[in-house]
Amino acid sequence: MQDLRWRVLWLLMGCLLVCLLLWPLVGLRVTLDLFALAVTGYLIGHFYWLDKLARWLKKPILADIPAGSGVWEEIFAALYQEMRRQRSSQTQLTDALERFQRAAGALPDGVVLLNNSDQIEWCNATAELQFGLDLAQDAGQPIGYLVRRIEFRDYLQAHEYGEPIKLKSARQADVTLEIQLVPFGDNQKLLLSRDITPLENIEIMRRDFIANVSHELRTPLTVVGGFLETLEDMDSEMPDATRHYFHLMQEQTGRMRRLVEDLLTLSRLESSQTVPQEVDIDVPALLRIVLTEAQSFSSGRHQLFLEVDESLHLSGATDELHSAFGNLVTNAIRYTPDGGEIRLTWQLRGQDAQFSVTDSGIGIEAQHLSRLTERFYRVDSSRSRATGGTGLGLSIVKHILTRHHGRLEVTSEYGHGSVFSAVFPAARVVRAVMP
Ligand code: ADP
């Protein structure tokens, strides 16, 4: 356009020069008339092409673009090039979008595109089937109106999408879906759903198998244990060596019984995600019972302290929390050499409630901390067995806390002791009215 400006300037200067040359020959008046005539002709030319442009813009078909003349030829040529460029990038974009939609449509997983108000923008055929959606009708609808499951609503509103959730399909009741929200762009989300029914069935089979085996083993073990106890107690002339063997057999039977009981507890906890019955738990009173049990287990080998916030109660299942707290305290005793100190505290931590067990025991090296709640994970197997451990205690604790929407936090210094904390969200805290 710089070029265009120069050309207009040169044209005007050329006109002026012609007028200056004509002035002495034909006089001022005729020169001015000729100048006015030339400018009028020039303007009429521009108005003509402007009109052509305005008409063409009303229906901008590329093939019908006017040819133009002079500067207008260049303008129309530039317009033509720009439109061709736009057309081609638009075609490329449409092709890319179509390819993406075809690829997403062919995915075996469901994909739903949500805008920043959680309304459906687009979804593939798998998602339509899994959630019972119809894109033609449901586009623009909030996903919460269409997927009316309480777990899904909570997940959507929690804004914590790190972990997927499991959900039963809306259309097929026997289908289990794994659902994950992935935020992107300007508060938009991608909802991904996967049919995990086969995996879920294998998991149920595994759980049932362990539960059945444990159940079947329970009775024979109880019988064998009972007989061994009777034999050991018999006041007969049993040689000391035999009595010792009976004692060892009874110890091992006891270990197997504890293992079976822990396996049964775990499969019971695994088979339901939520606490079956919730009550207002007087945690300080529960902890006094746990302390008495711990004192009996320690038999005076450790110093035990209890500090509680008396008004701090919790909503949950008493027997489950008794088991979780008991496990943490028993572990502290088992992994703390004689003469050590164990402190139990129950207090608020910000809005949350926290039960902590601090021991001055053997501690745990940092690399083990993240794996402690795995089944049968032991830092030192021989110490675990020697102190009556099954390797399932922390796994049970983790399950119980998860069912109460809580979490287990562990800090430890190798050789100096550990702190195991059960943290419960504010929603579980109940403030008791003190007399
Ligand atoms: P176990 O029956 O072996 O104690 P747990 O699941 O209760 O199984 O604990 C897993 C492992 O975590 C234990 O084997 C032990 O190595 C470690 N551990 C648990 N509590 C403590 C503690 N208070 N101090 C040191 N190590 C601990």
Side-chain angles (χ1 to χ4, degrees):
M1 287 298 127
Q2 187 86 16
D3 198 33
L4 199 68
R5 256 184 264 156
W6 279 112
R7 282 173 60 181
V8 172
L9 202 70
W10 280 118
L11 197 78
L12 281 172
M13 279 172 53
C15 264
L16 266 168
L17 197 71
V18 172
C19 288
L20 283 175
L21 288 174
L22 283 176
W23 192 352
L25 298 176
V26 292
L28 180 64
R29 211 199 138 96
V30 176
T31 306
L32 284 178
D33 284 348
L34 285 174
F35 182 72
L37 208 66
V39 171
T40 312
Y42 183 70
L43 283 179
I44 287 173
H46 279 305
F47 281 131
Y48 173 75
W49 289 117
L50 260 177
D51 178 58
K52 282 262 183 201
L53 178 64
R55 281 168 195 272
W56 177 78
L57 281 175
K58 279 186 191 152
K59 218 174 163 194
I61 298 167
L62 195 60
D64 294 346
I65 197 159
S69 70
V71 288
W72 284 97
E73 191 179 345
E74 280 178 43
I75 291 170
F76 284 128
L79 206 59
Y80 181 79
Q81 292 300 337
E82 180 57 23
M83 278 204 60
R84 269 185 64 127
R85 209 183 50 74
Q86 271 188 17
R87 284 268 163 95
S88 113
S89 60
Q90 204 174 359
T91 317
Q92 276 175 7
L93 216 64
T94 316
D95 283 355
L97 197 68
E98 267 175 20
R99 273 204 306 279
F100 163 77
Q101 288 194 348
R102 273 203 302 275
L107 276 177
D109 295 347
V111 183
V112 185
L113 210 66
L114 301 175
N115 66 12
N116 51 12
S117 310
D118 293 332
Q119 290 160 331
I120 300 171
E121 280 194 347
W122 179 84
C123 70
N124 67 357
T126 318
E128 284 189 310
L129 185 74
Q130 290 174 339
F131 294 114
L133 300 176
D134 177 357
L135 185 59
Q137 282 178 21
D138 298 333
Q141 295 287 328
I143 185 81
Y145 287 2
L146 302 165
V147 183
R148 291 180 161 276
R149 304 297 291 261
I150 195 138
E151 309 93 298
F152 179 73
R153 202 199 53 205
D154 290 349
Y155 181 54
L156 192 67
Q157 286 169 0
H159 295 281
E160 275 177 27
Y161 309 128
E163 292 289 319
I165 57 160
K166 285 183 194 171
L167 210 68
K168 285 279 172 205
S169 165
R171 285 250 175 108
Q172 303 137 295
D174 52 344
V175 169
T176 308
L177 301 175
E178 185 182 75
I179 291 185
Q180 171 114 49
L181 280 163
V182 185
F184 73 98
D186 182 21
N187 207 11
Q188 288 155 285
K189 294 180 200 81
L190 208 57
L191 173 69
L192 304 174
S193 57
R194 170 174 295 177
D195 182 351
I196 54 159
T197 316
L199 281 177
E200 193 67 359
N201 288 344
I202 294 172
E203 179 63 20
I204 291 171
M205 260 166 61
R206 180 195 65 80
R207 215 185 292 151
D208 288 352
F209 176 75
I210 294 176
N212 289 338
V213 170
S214 311
H215 200 75
E216 291 298 323
L217 284 173
R218 198 190 215 171
T219 319
L221 277 173
T222 312
V223 174
V224 172
F227 280 130
L228 283 172
E229 207 171 319
T230 318
L231 282 172
E232 202 191 357
D233 289 349
M234 264 173 34
D235 200 12
S236 65
E237 271 137 47
M238 195 188 290
D240 280 351
T242 316
R243 193 179 293 278
H244 177 63
Y245 295 143
F246 272 127
H247 180 69
L248 288 183
M249 282 159 75
Q250 212 197 335
E251 246 180 31
Q252 293 306 315
T253 319
R255 238 192 87 207
M256 288 200 314
R257 277 160 71 180
R258 279 196 301 279
L259 197 60
V260 163
E261 289 306 325
D262 276 1
L263 281 171
L264 278 170
T265 307
L266 253 185
S267 49
R268 197 166 26 82
L269 291 171
E270 278 178 335
S271 54
S272 90
Q273 299 290 317
T274 47
V275 175
Q277 203 192 6
E278 305 221 2
V279 290
D280 173 349
I281 307 170
D282 181 350
V283 180
L286 176 65
L287 288 178
R288 280 189 277 276
I289 300 172
V290 171
L291 180 72
T292 311
E293 289 165 350
Q295 278 160 340
S296 140
F297 186 63
S298 160
S299 321
R301 290 176 294 128
H302 306 89
Q303 280 184 282
L304 288 134
F305 304 96
L306 175 67
E307 288 165 28
V308 292
D309 177 341
E310 289 292 343
S311 67
L312 192 57
H313 287 198
L314 204 68
S315 161
T318 314
D319 52 343
E320 289 192 12
L321 289 179
H322 189 162
S323 156
F325 294 167
N327 253 308
L328 294 179
V329 180
T330 314
N331 274 357
I333 294 172
R334 288 169 49 226
Y335 297 104
T336 301
D338 293 359
E341 269 187 19
I342 293 154
R343 192 170 293 278
L344 320 185
T345 52
W346 171 244
Q347 63 206 4
L348 273 183
R349 186 174 105 182
Q351 305 277 305
D352 299 343
Q354 174 175 294
F355 169 63
S356 288
V357 184
T358 310
D359 66 54
S360 60
I362 59 171
I364 307 160
E365 285 167 290
Q367 74 264 28
H368 298 291
L369 292 181
S370 62
R371 301 195 56 191
L372 291 181
T373 55
E374 285 175 24
R375 274 166 234 201
F376 298 114
Y377 187 84
R378 293 152 164 139
V379 177
D380 176 353
S381 305
S382 49
R383 183 170 185 130
S384 161
R385 289 203 186 92
T387 54
T390 60
L392 296 172
L394 290 183
S395 203
I396 292 176
V397 171
K398 188 189 166 188
H399 267 88
I400 294 176
L401 295 187
T402 308
R403 282 153 67 89
H404 286 80
H405 308 111
R407 62 184 190 278
L408 180 67
E409 290 182 358
V410 187
T411 54
S412 187
E413 201 182 333
Y414 185 56
H416 290 94
S418 315
V419 184
F420 282 74
S421 303
V423 187
F424 299 91
R428 292 235 155 234
V429 173
V430 180
R431 271 295 180 187
V433 183
M434 300 309 290

